[in-house]
Amino acid sequence: MELRVLQYFLAVAREQNISAAAETLHLSQPALSTQLKNLEEELGKQLLIRGTKGSRKVVLTEEGMILRKRAEEILSLVERTEHEITASSETIVGDVFIGSGETEVTRFFARAAKNIQKKYPYIRFHISSGNAEHVMDYLDKGLIDFGLVFGSFDSQRYESISVPVKDSWGVLMRKDSALARKDVISPEDLWDKPLIVPHQKGESAYLSGWLKREESSLHIVATYNLVFNASLLVDEGLGYALCYDKLINTCGSSLCFRPFSPKLEVRGYLVWKKYQVFSKAANLFLQNLRAEFSEEEVYENRE
């Protein structure tokens, strides 16, 4: 029984669909089906119940569930072994791929990367910016190692660690706008204003709850994916952008930021696929990031 085949099996267990698993593994569907069939023949047990043409969902048999548990333990041991080897290695090279929205949390990534670079200068870091839909799509396709998301995610498919700080929502506006005279912005302040909001559905619903209004009753003039583009729309007087704090440096510009009242905060999570075996570089990044998060938690507790 090969580790590679166990990874294939766990990918199918995670996706509950052979075609979807094949895509994430960068295999053809027939090739993956053959590997699974060979595994079942090797063990002499049926591991998967394939769906009919009308339903392609794959269900684990009782023996399949046992193998899933043991395969997780086996691959976890492999990962721990790689950690030990990584710690004793003098030369580590490679690439770490991270998907993230625009957030202050990126500073944690930078600190972890800086610490790693001091000892392993040949490790390179690549950040792909986008909203949660973009990040999760890249993660599912295996184009990135880690994704930073806010709000809920499928804990059956992904491992995660929580970010020790929260991002706060507010309004980016021109300094000469009517609301700029206020220290904080309430929902009622925005009911009749032209709004520029994130185009991601999850965030729109989240904001609608705070605004106490359905999206259809708000005056939404534009949506955005990256907040820098939204800031240009604001600067040209199109409207008020709802976004996270600390993303746009307003010093010396015509813009200002005002926080929501009551506060609206959201916690981020660094997620990665379950059963994923990382490169040494990716493992090293995760270890350093955990350390950065732990230090921040200690600091926050002291405050």
Side-chain angles (χ1 to χ4, degrees):
M1 189 185 307
E2 299 180 36
L3 293 177
R4 170 178 55 84
V5 178
L6 289 181
Q7 291 170 358
Y8 293 170
F9 172 75
L10 289 176
V12 173
R14 179 185 66 237
E15 301 291 345
Q16 298 183 331
N17 183 290
I18 294 177
S19 296
E23 183 178 349
T24 64
L25 294 167
H26 305 293
L27 294 172
S28 68
Q29 188 270 332
L32 179 57
S33 294
T34 299
Q35 293 285 352
L36 295 172
K37 187 172 183 295
N38 291 342
L39 178 61
E40 289 179 320
E41 291 177 353
E42 179 183 350
L43 296 175
K45 297 289 183 179
Q46 182 180 2
L47 303 173
L48 305 166
I49 300 174
R50 282 80 169 170
T52 62
K53 290 184 178 180
S55 173
R56 297 184 178 181
K57 184 176 181 180
V58 173
V59 179
L60 297 181
T61 63
E62 183 176 349
E63 291 79 9
M65 287 187 282
I66 293 173
L67 179 61
R68 178 178 183 170
K69 184 176 186 301
R70 295 307 181 197
E72 290 172 355
E73 294 172 352
I74 291 168
L75 293 179
S76 177
L77 179 59
V78 170
E79 184 177 350
R80 288 199 298 272
T81 303
E82 287 191 342
H83 284 171
E84 293 172 0
I85 294 173
T86 298
S88 63
S89 177
E90 292 299 324
T91 303
I92 300 178
V93 299
D95 299 270
V96 180
F97 297 88
I98 309 155
S100 173
E102 294 175 296
T103 168
E104 186 78 358
V105 177
T106 304
R107 290 189 180 276
F108 287 102
F109 301 159
R111 292 170 191 166
K114 183 179 179 181
N115 290 337
I116 294 170
Q117 275 281 307
K118 291 177 182 177
K119 188 173 182 180
Y120 305 103
Y122 298 109
I123 293 179
R124 294 188 298 177
F125 300 87
H126 310 270
I127 295 184
S128 176
S129 297
N131 60 20
E133 294 169 356
H134 166 94
V135 170
M136 298 310 289
D137 181 56
Y138 269 43
L139 193 62
D140 288 339
K141 290 179 178 177
L143 300 177
I144 56 177
D145 299 305
F146 306 99
L148 179 68
V149 298
F150 294 89
S152 61
F153 59 91
D154 187 352
S155 59
Q156 296 298 314
R157 296 184 61 185
Y158 307 102
E159 299 285 357
S160 69
I161 52 174
S162 63
V163 178
V165 296
K166 295 180 180 180
D167 274 319
S168 299
W169 282 94
V171 186
L172 186 68
M173 65 187 81
R174 287 179 58 91
K175 291 178 179 177
D176 58 4
S177 64
L179 295 183
R181 294 189 293 269
K182 301 175 68 72
D183 293 327
V184 294
I185 305 300
S186 66
E188 295 81 2
D189 293 328
L190 300 173
W191 287 349
D192 62 344
K193 298 295 188 296
L195 302 180
I196 302 169
V197 301
H199 78 236
Q200 186 173 315
K201 292 181 180 179
E203 289 188 341
S204 296
Y206 189 63
L207 289 169
S208 294
W210 180 86
L211 287 164
K212 304 175 185 177
R213 286 289 188 274
E214 294 295 329
E215 186 175 326
S216 59
S217 67
L218 297 170
H219 184 197
I220 296 176
V221 296
T223 65
Y224 70 88
N225 184 26
L226 299 176
V227 74
F228 176 75
N229 291 334
S231 72
L232 298 181
L233 301 182
V234 173
D235 196 34
E236 291 298 325
L238 182 62
Y240 296 80
L242 310 188
C243 62
Y244 293 147
D245 194 5
K246 300 179 182 178
L247 296 184
I248 297 296
N249 184 359
T250 59
C251 294
S253 75
S254 62
L255 304 180
C256 63
F257 181 90
R258 298 291 182 266
F260 283 171
S261 179
K263 284 184 177 180
L264 182 62
E265 297 179 320
V266 62
R267 183 177 295 280
Y269 297 88
L270 187 78
V271 302
W272 60 94
K273 280 187 174 182
K274 280 193 173 182
Y275 325 123
Q276 182 168 339
V277 178
F278 289 128
S279 66
K280 291 181 179 181
N283 268 324
L284 199 57
F285 174 76
L286 184 57
Q287 293 171 26
N288 276 265
L289 195 60
R290 287 184 188 275
E292 289 294 330
F293 284 176
S294 296
E295 287 183 13
E296 181 66 24
E297 287 174 349
V298 171
Y299 175 80
E300 289 291 322
N301 291 334
R302 288 175 180 172
E303 291 291 306

